[in-house]
Each structure stands twice: as structure tokens, then as C-alpha cells.
Amino acid sequence: MRFETLAIHAGQEPEPQFGAVNVPIYQTSTYAQPEVGRPRRYDYARGGNPTREAFQTALASLEGGTRCLAFASGLAAETTLLLTLAPGDHVLLGNDVYGGTYRLLARVLAGWGLAFDVVDMTDPQAVASAVRDTTRVIWVETPTNPLLKVVDVAAVAEIAHAAGARCVVDNTFATPYLQRPLELGADVVVHSVTKYLAGHSDLVAGAIVTGDEELAERLAFLQNAVGAVPGPMDCYLALRGLKTLAVRMEAHCRGARAIVELLQGHPRVARVHYPGLPGHPGFEVAVRQMRDFGGMVSFELRSKEEAFRVAGRTRLFFLAESLGGVESLIELPAPMTHASVAGSPLEVPETLVRLSVGIEHPEDLVRDLAAALD
Ligand SMILES: *Cc1c(COP(=O)(O)O)cnc(C)c1O
């Protein structure tokens, strides 16, 4: 089956008792057991829930993996994944990885003995020379946040495998509709489900997908043992989001193209970052590994003051953190989403503006941003 069909059918058989076509919200913490020590499918909801399982099955199939584990947030998924490592192990991160991922390594897990280095992930040679004997994970994000750099997943996966490490891809920005890292050779995909997958800015959740059964077994154990699980209502909403992912992503891409066109010709704009621009350094890799270029756009103005002014003046683009919802958002990474990485190798220009282009009509979005720029 094709993507659009799997999104609506994988893991989503009509409910057996009444035939409800939507997977019910199983809002329960526990399950009655017919006999001592012989529970039915589930015994306690941290360990398993049918609504969560339906979401996991659907997302695993969309990513082309065999198993998916859902979590209470993207960072809960990342933390649980990194707990498969041991003290002394080494992780290689990109130099503009999501700020929360960097903070998790630098300010939480480093204290538990996990080593890490930051490299330019767009340069395979730099990645290869940063690998150590103890490297267990090479952590890729592509396109990156907020500079939308593109990393060659197949090239990095090959370096990881030669070193006996796993290649993990944070696929939050692209989603499986635009990019399937497991097919490109990656071992694990992580998501902030909060963003495009759920898609309506109404929940926080995360997920891990893999085709590696041994790792999946360990992750399933940790999902229950660590306990950072999502509730059934959020799993229901996330599953509902998946059903329209394909049509939403088409609309996000269409809107982004119109916005990029406006920005490119605008005298106040110093630089536009979008992987779909032929002049973008990652354009060729993006064409090779992505179906389209996504709904995230960032651009630089000529001063910090101008960036503050523009971000405060749009009406349809709400000034807010986060991304991937149906409504358009604008933000300044330096003082907002990326404030926690100031002074680190991940610092971003103060003149940078980031847009999450929603699915409103592109003409309205262009008019709104043009008015804020003028
Ligand atoms: C938001 C985000 C995360 C973290 O996810 P939460 O759901 O906020 O915990 C991780 N990676 C990327 C690329 C993100 O945008």
C-alpha cells in the first residue's frame, strides 16, 4: 500500500465490538485480568495501551520500519533512546542540532558519563574524522533547525556502520512523507510528534522508529521501565494527525515555495535559507533524498532590530515557538528557541527569522509577510 493509504489503515481496523471506524481512546490505567498471573493483552497502561499501539503501528509503517515506540515528548523519546548507551560511549552530534538535543547531552547525560562531540554533519569527511573507537551513535538532523542545512543520510549512515555505530535521524522537519531515513540506510528515526505528525499544535509527544528488532526489544523494555509514555488522548490526536499528513505536507510545501519567492526578491532580506533553492549548498542532496523541501523557511535581515520589528508585525503568522502546525508561526531563534545554546557551538545569528509556513492560502501568507517587511 502507498503512503496515503497506510496513514489511514495501518493499525486502524474498525473496533471489533461496535465497528467504530476510529480507534477509541482507551482512557484506562489498568485492565481487568481473568485469572491471577494471566492478564489479557495488557496489564497496566504504562506498559501498553491500544490507542498508543495503533499510533505506533501506523507510524512504523509510514517510516518503513518494523517497530515504533511512542513517548510523552520528542525529548522523552531521545532520552530513552540514549539510555540504550552506557557510560563511556560517545555520541556525534551535528553543529546545528535541535537545541534541546544538545542540552540533553551537554547538561544532563554528560554528567552520567556519556561523551559527545559536535561536528559539521554536512561534511562527511569531518564526520569520519570525528568518529572515535567509542562512538556508538551518529545523530543526524536534516533539514536542520533553524538554518535548514541538509545532511547526506546515506553517506553518514555508511560512516556510522563502518565504525560499528548506529545512525539516528531526527526526522521531525521532513516527516516520512518527504524523507524516509531507514530506506537511506539509517538505523533509527526519532520524532517530535508535537510538530508535523500531530500537526495541529494541540499536543506534545515523541516517537522512535526502527527496523532493528533487538534494539526495539530494548526500547520497548525502556519505554515501560523509564515510563515517559504519552496518554491515550494524545495518541488519538497524533493518530488523527497522521491521517492527513500527506495532504498537509503538500500544502506546507506549496506555502513555503510562495514565501521563498517573496523573500528572495525582497530588498530588506539579506539571505534566505531553504533547501529547495538551487543555490542552497544542500540542494542536490535534498533533491536526492527528499520528495519535496518542506514547510520551514528561515531568512536573515540586515539588523537585529529589523528582525524584532518584522517578527512583531505579522498578523497571520503568530509569534510563537514550535512548528509544524496548520497555522503559520514566526519566531527569532536567537532570543527564543535557541536562547539555551547562546555561547555554544550552536549559536545562531541575531538577524535570523524562522518561519513555520502553515496551510493557510499562500496568497494571504505572502500578503501578511510582505506587509510586515514593508
Ligand atoms: C521540537 C523538536 C524536538 C523536541 O521535541 P519535543 O516534542 O518538544 O520534546 C526534537 N527535535 C526537533 C527537530 C524538534 O523540532
Side-chain angles (χ1 to χ4, degrees), residues 301-310 332 335 350-352:
L301 290 162
R302 299 193 196 281
S303 71
K304 177 179 155 182
E305 291 68 31
E306 208 153 307
F308 267 75
R309 252 196 316 273
V310 170
L332 302 188
E350 289 184 312
T351 52
L352 189 73

Side-chain angles (χ1 to χ4, degrees), residues 1-48:
M1 274 184 282
R2 303 288 291 267
F3 189 96
E4 292 82 345
T5 316
L6 288 171
I8 287 160
H9 292 282
Q12 302 167 72
E13 288 300 312
E15 172 278 325
Q17 196 175 1
F18 300 112
V21 296
N22 276 299
V23 175
I25 304 161
Y26 286 91
Q27 194 75 45
T28 189
S29 61
T30 192
Y31 307 85
Q33 305 188 13
E35 271 180 70
V36 175
R38 299 195 55 191
R40 284 186 274 215
R41 175 89 168 253
Y42 305 103
D43 55 7
Y44 182 60
R46 177 166 17 78

Side-chain angles (χ1 to χ4, degrees), residues 75 110 189 242:
L75 278 171
V189 166
L242 287 188

Side-chain angles (χ1 to χ4, degrees), residues 121-122 124 138 140-143 150-161 167-171 179-189 285-286 288-290:
M121 214 43 91
T122 64
I138 303 186
V140 173
E141 209 180 295
T142 183
V150 175
V151 176
D152 185 336
V153 174
V156 173
E158 201 169 305
I159 294 165
H161 298 157
C167 174
V168 173
V169 176
D170 181 334
N171 205 25
Q179 166 176 284
R180 264 184 295 282
L182 300 179
E183 286 170 8
L184 296 165
D187 304 282
V188 184
V189 166
V285 176
R288 201 170 345 120
Q289 71 185 18
M290 298 178 77

Side-chain angles (χ1 to χ4, degrees), residues 55 59 70-71 73-74 172 191-199 203-207 234 238:
F55 170 70
L59 183 54
F71 295 89
S73 69
T172 299
H191 273 287
S192 172
V193 173
T194 313
K195 316 293 168 53
Y196 288 105
L197 297 187
L203 63 91
V204 172
D234 285 351

Side-chain angles (χ1 to χ4, degrees), residues 59-123:
L59 183 54
S61 84
L62 296 184
E63 282 287 2
T66 54
R67 295 280 292 277
C68 169
L69 286 311
F71 295 89
S73 69
L75 278 171
E78 295 186 19
T79 304
T80 307
L81 178 59
L82 290 167
L83 288 174
T84 61
L85 303 182
D89 286 350
H90 176 249
V91 177
L92 214 46
L93 291 178
N95 63 2
D96 71 343
V97 74
Y98 176 69
T101 305
Y102 177 81
R103 182 176 59 194
L104 176 61
L105 267 299
R107 294 177 56 190
V108 182
L109 294 172
W112 294 92
L114 214 56
F116 74 98
D117 276 307
V118 168
V119 286
D120 178 0
M121 214 43 91
T122 64
D123 176 358

